[in-house]
Amino acid sequence: MARYWMMKCEPSVYNIQDLKNEPTQTIGWEGVRNYQARNMLRDDMKVGDYAFFYYSNAKVPGIAGTMKIVRAGYPDPGAFIPGHRYYDSKSNPDNPRWYQVDVKLVKILDAFIPLSALRQHPELTDLWILRKGNRLSITPLTAFQWDTILDIDL
DNA sequence: GCCAACGTTGGC
DNA sequence: GCCAACGTTGGC
């Protein structure tokens, strides 16, 4: 069974239009530097899983589109490159510390779903990103939560 | 292994 | 820009 994920990104750094403009509409979801999120990238995310592209730290935070996982967890290469934005001297190819997956754009939502709209749905109270103090950049969703979000009438 | 200090995240 | 919440670091 496919699983479902929420993947946060700051749109000022990289947004869903950038993803659409990629030649294959696919990128490595690089730069995650949190162990809990790392574990999910490395161990839990599989080809065929689905993910929301979530805008964090945005003027209007919320969900911009859907993606599919097209490559399961593999070492984040940026961590190995001195001077790279995501370089980490404690990660090396023999013992990689950080992982990423490849994601492919499925759809830019016709209507952006703001965080405020998610908050209005009682069925979504357990959603990770709605919990106070949540800072994880990768979080799981249930199939029910996924469907509920896509059915939201704005 | 505790915990204070510090840095980062992210909504507002 | 503020600040609450949380993760990480490092001294002890």
Side-chain angles (χ1 to χ4, degrees), chain A residues 22 30 36 55-56 59 94 102 112 118 120 129 134 140 142 146 148 154:
Chain A
E22 302 285 349
E30 64 176 4
Q36 243 184 302
Y55 286 179
S56 65
K59 260 179 270 169
D94 292 330
D102 286 356
F112 181 84
L118 300 177
Q120 287 164 14
I129 55 162
N134 161 62
T142 65
W146 176 272
T148 301
L154 296 169

Side-chain angles (χ1 to χ4, degrees), chain A residues 16-30:
Chain A
I16 203 155
Q17 197 61 46
D18 296 324
L19 179 56
K20 183 170 184 165
N21 292 341
E22 302 285 349
T24 59
Q25 302 191 346
T26 302
I27 51 155
W29 198 267
E30 64 176 4

